[in-house]
Amino acid sequence: MPLRPNILAVDDDPTNLAIIEELLGDEYDVTTLSDGQAALETAKKLKPSLVLLDIMMPVVDGYELCQMLRAERTLRHLKVVLVSGNARVEERARGFEVGADDYIVKPFSPDEFRAKVRVFLRLKSVEEMDDFQSRLLTLLGHELRTPLTEIFAPAEMLSAEDPVSDADRRSLAGIILTGAKRLLRFIDSATFLASIRSGQLPMECVATDCVPLVHQAITSARDRFVARGCRVQIEGPTTLVGCVHPGHLFTIFDSILDNAIRFSQRDDCVQIRIGSDPLCPCVSFLDQGPGMDPDYLGTLFDGLDVPGVAYQSSGHGLSLVIAHSLISAMGGDLSVESRAGHGSEFMVTLPLVPQSIGVPW
C-alpha cells in the first residue's frame, strides 16, 4: 500500500481545521495544530510534504512561522501555502516575500483548494527527485575518485615496460581488485538508493515479528564482532510486531549493526534494545563509538552530504542512508541521538499493523 503524503495544517480556529480535514482527509494524512509556536518542532519531526498556514495566530503568526520553516535546512523542499481571509495585495505580497509558495484567500472553492494541494505535492516530488539526482552525481564524483586511483596507479605500473616480479604483480593485481570491488559496491548502493527514492522498489509489507530478524542480523555479523573484538547484548521482549517488508528490514538491522561494529573498539559492547510498547514498536542500537558532531545529525539521513557520508566507513557510505530510505518507504522511521565522544543510538520505529490486517498469531 503506497504511503499517503503528510499535510500539516496550522490554524487557531478549530472550525477551519475541521474543514481542511474534511476536504483532504480521504486522500492524505492530515495533522492539525492550533499553536504556531509548536508547529516548527512538529514539522521537523513529521517532515510533511505541505504546510497550510493561517496568518492571524497568537504568539507566532503565519508570516513568522513561514520564515522559520524556510530557515530549516531539513525542510528545504517543503511546500508552504498561506490560507487567510485577508485578500489585500500587500498581504499577499508579504506572504511571497517570506517564502510562501502560494496564498489562498478564504472562503475558497473546495475543488480549487484540492487541486492546488495536488499541484504542490507533485511539484515537491519532482523537485526532490531533481535535487537527489544532482547531489548523487556530485557524491559519485567524490566517492569514486579514490577507488579509481587505486585501479589506475597499479595498472599503469603493470603496463610499464619496467619488469615486475611475480610477487609485485600479484600485489598490484590485488590492489586493483580491491579498488574495483569498492567501486562496484558503491555503484550498487547508489543504484539501489535511486530505486527506493524513485518508488520503483517493491515494498509489500506484512505483519511480521521483527525480533527473529534482529537475531538473524546478529548471527550474520558474528564474524565482524569477532574480528573487531567487541560483543553484543540484546534486551527486551521476545516478540515485536510491525507491518514491514521482512527482507528490507533485515537489511536495515544489518546496516545499523555493521555501522556500530565499525565504530566500536575492542571490548566495547553494542546494545540492542527491543521496545515494549506495542503502540510504538521500536528497536534501538547503541554503540560506544566516537559519536558525531551535532552539525551532521540533521543531514546524516538526508543522504548525499559528504560530511554525513564521511561518518560511515569507506565503501559503506550509503548504508545508513539506504536504511533510512527503506524504513521511511515502509511508513516507519530511523532516528539518531549522538554526541561527540559519547557514542550513538539509532532507533528504528516500525510501522504499526493496520487493524484491517490484524496479527496472524
Side-chain angles (χ1 to χ4, degrees):
M1 180 183 298
L3 298 180
R4 306 201 314 170
N6 282 312
I7 294 177
L8 176 61
V10 188
D11 196 315
D12 63 339
D13 186 336
T15 301
N16 291 334
L17 293 177
I19 291 173
I20 291 174
E21 279 196 287
E22 183 177 350
L23 291 175
L24 303 178
D26 289 340
E27 293 183 67
Y28 312 107
D29 289 332
V30 180
T31 300
T32 59
L33 284 176
S34 58
D35 181 4
Q37 197 166 22
L40 179 61
E41 289 304 314
T42 300
K44 287 162 66 174
K45 292 179 181 178
L46 185 64
K47 297 290 192 301
S49 299
L50 173 69
V51 174
L52 301 169
L53 292 182
D54 181 39
I55 291 178
M56 302 304 294
M57 293 186 293
V59 187
V60 177
D61 64 26
Y63 295 125
E64 293 175 290
L65 182 53
C66 183
Q67 285 181 306
M68 290 189 288
L69 291 169
R70 286 289 175 242
E72 177 58 39
R73 186 182 178 190
T74 60
L75 299 174
R76 63 182 178 278
H77 294 298
L78 176 67
K79 295 302 172 186
V80 180
V81 175
L82 297 177
V83 184
S84 173
N86 194 332
R88 291 188 301 173
V89 173
E90 54 268 32
E91 294 295 330
R92 300 173 71 136
R94 185 184 173 193
F96 291 119
E97 286 174 0
V98 297
D101 294 287
D102 202 356
Y103 189 110
I104 298 177
V105 178
K106 296 182 285 191
F108 46 74
S109 160
D111 289 339
E112 182 181 1
F113 180 72
R114 282 190 288 258
K116 284 195 172 188
V117 167
R118 285 192 290 269
V119 166
F120 282 113
L121 291 176
R122 284 199 300 269
L123 182 59
K124 177 181 182 292
S125 178
V126 170
E127 288 179 356
E128 283 183 325
M129 185 51 64
D130 287 346
D131 181 60
F132 168 76
Q133 292 172 343
S134 174
R135 294 166 66 212
L136 181 59
L137 288 174
T138 300
L139 183 63
L140 282 170
H142 177 273
E143 288 292 305
L144 300 186
R145 185 169 286 107
T146 299
L148 283 174
T149 301
E150 291 175 351
I151 293 172
F152 279 122
E156 288 176 348
M157 295 174 67
L158 286 173
S159 62
E161 295 182 0
D162 297 334
V164 179
S165 68
D166 288 343
D168 287 342
R169 185 179 292 108
R170 285 193 295 271
S171 177
L172 292 171
I175 295 173
I176 292 173
L177 183 60
T178 299
K181 287 181 177 178
R182 178 178 173 184
L183 193 62
L184 181 60
R185 279 200 306 268
F186 191 85
I187 292 173
D188 285 345
S189 293
T191 303
F192 187 48
L193 180 60
S195 70
I196 302 170
R197 294 287 181 90
S198 64
Q200 296 177 351
L201 184 71
M203 194 63 65
E204 298 177 1
C205 297
V206 295
T208 304
D209 181 3
C210 302
V211 174
L213 294 174
V214 175
H215 287 283
Q216 185 181 343
I218 293 172
T219 301
S220 175
R222 181 176 293 129
D223 290 344
R224 284 169 277 170
F225 275 109
V226 172
R228 199 68 176 172
C230 54
R231 55 195 173 85
V232 63
Q233 182 181 41
I234 184 170
E235 59 184 56
T238 57
T239 299
L240 184 70
V241 179
C243 188
V244 301
H245 184 294
H248 295 329
L249 187 63
F250 168 77
T251 298
I252 293 166
F253 290 159
D254 186 64
S255 296
I256 298 173
L257 196 55
D258 183 70
N259 192 78
I261 295 170
R262 288 173 180 275
F263 286 93
S264 295
Q265 301 298 319
R266 180 166 294 278
D267 297 327
D268 280 355
C269 180
V270 176
Q271 291 183 295
I272 303 176
R273 296 175 181 169
I274 310 297
S276 58
D277 184 356
L279 297 180
C280 185
C282 61
V283 182
S284 294
F285 297 77
L286 297 85
D287 64 58
Q288 296 176 280
M292 287 175 279
D293 189 309
D295 292 341
Y296 294 162
L297 293 181
T299 57
L300 179 64
F301 302 129
D302 192 32
L304 306 174
D305 286 339
V306 172
V309 171
Y311 165 76
Q312 302 173 60
S313 56
S314 175
H316 295 258
L318 293 176
S319 60
L320 293 181
V321 182
I322 288 172
H324 184 269
S325 297
L326 283 173
I327 194 65
S328 297
M330 295 181 210
D333 187 39
L334 173 59
S335 59
V336 59
E337 292 186 5
S338 181
R339 284 192 303 150
H342 294 274
S344 303
E345 177 180 1
F346 289 85
M347 178 181 289
V348 181
T349 302
L350 307 171
L352 294 171
V353 179
Q355 291 183 350
S356 58
I357 296 178
V359 180
W361 55 78

